[in-house]
Structures are given as C-alpha cells and as structure tokens.
Amino acid sequence: MTASVVSIVYVNDAPAAARFYNDLLGLSPTLETPEYITFNLGSGAELALWSGQFEGLSPEVPRTSEVCLAISGGRPDQINAIFKQWQSKGVTILHKPHDEGFGLTFLAADPDGNRIRVAPKD
C-alpha cells in the first residue's frame, strides 16, 4: 500500500491562508480549488488548507493540534533565524524560542489561530 500523510488545517479563507503559507514556507500550492488547497512537503507529506468545514471559525476556537515544521539539522542558530524571519514578516508568535526535551523550539499562529511549531527534526 502506498500512502501519504496529509495534515489538514481548517481555515476561513483557503486562498488567503494559502498566500500566508506560501510566503511563510516559500512553497507554491500543488492543488488549488476555491475551498481546498494543498502544498507538497516532500517524502509523502502534504499540508492541506480547507475552508467551508466550520462556519464561524475564529482564533478564539481552542486548538488541539499543531503543524510542526521539523527542521533538518535543527541547530539553535537555524531555529533562531527562522524565528527572526517570521517575526519580521509580522507572524503572530505565541511562544518565543525556548528549550524543550527535543531541543530549541518556538510556536507561532496563522491568521486563523492554527498553531505552527518550529522544532529540530529528530
């Protein structure tokens, strides 16, 4: 069986969210419909942005998951450089770089309040 992992993030406006993630990740969408847009992350992994599934989705809705961008190498200088780049773009930062059991990490949010963690790859 061949399978890929698709992480679906629910958003209010898929095209607007795609512009945010395009700017953040430097990737272009691989599939675009008015309500569902995907980005190929490589190695059988995709990020999908899906609108129309939750009416009135707002940043106040509690989030129980997060997208984690695992950085190859994951040295502190790499994590800090991404943090500074995102900060300069005006990305909402929820938790500045700090040490966890797996290394240096920080937590951000997209315009819909979905959590995005940057951490070292295992």
Side-chain angles (χ1 to χ4, degrees), residues 1 14-15 20-21 28 32 34 38 40 51 56 60 62 72-73 76 87 90 93 99 102 106-107 113 117 121:
M1 173 172 86
F20 172 84
Y21 281 94
S28 295
E32 291 185 70
T38 62
N40 183 344
S51 61
E60 291 77 34
S72 294
Q87 206 174 31
I93 301 298
D99 286 313
F102 48 83
F106 71 90
L107 189 62
R117 178 172 304 281
K121 186 175 182 177

Side-chain angles (χ1 to χ4, degrees), residues 3-23:
S4 62
V5 175
V6 179
S7 295
I8 299 173
V9 176
Y10 297 107
V11 298
N12 281 308
D13 181 336
R19 287 188 297 276
F20 172 84
Y21 281 94
N22 171 270
D23 181 55

Side-chain angles (χ1 to χ4, degrees), residues 10-66:
Y10 297 107
V11 298
N12 281 308
D13 181 336
R19 287 188 297 276
F20 172 84
Y21 281 94
N22 171 270
D23 181 55
L24 200 65
L25 304 175
L27 298 173
S28 295
T30 51
L31 171 72
E32 291 185 70
T33 72
E35 294 184 340
Y36 187 80
I37 299 172
T38 62
F39 292 86
N40 183 344
L41 302 176
S43 301
E46 291 180 286
L47 173 66
L49 308 171
W50 196 1
S51 61
Q53 292 303 299
F54 291 103
E55 287 189 25
L57 184 67
S58 71
E60 291 77 34
V61 174
R63 306 299 185 198
T64 59
S65 64
E66 59 191 37

Side-chain angles (χ1 to χ4, degrees), residues 51-120:
S51 61
Q53 292 303 299
F54 291 103
E55 287 189 25
L57 184 67
S58 71
E60 291 77 34
V61 174
R63 306 299 185 198
T64 59
S65 64
E66 59 191 37
V67 172
C68 181
L69 301 175
I71 307 302
S72 294
R75 297 183 324 269
D77 62 312
Q78 292 173 299
I79 304 294
N80 281 319
I82 295 168
F83 171 74
K84 288 176 185 172
Q85 180 187 41
W86 287 18
Q87 206 174 31
S88 73
K89 291 176 182 264
V91 173
T92 300
I93 301 298
L94 301 175
H95 201 189
K96 292 181 179 180
H98 61 283
D99 286 313
E100 290 289 347
F102 48 83
L104 189 68
T105 184
F106 71 90
L107 189 62
D110 73 10
D112 288 293
N114 296 298
R115 293 172 171 234
I116 309 166
R117 178 172 304 281
V118 175

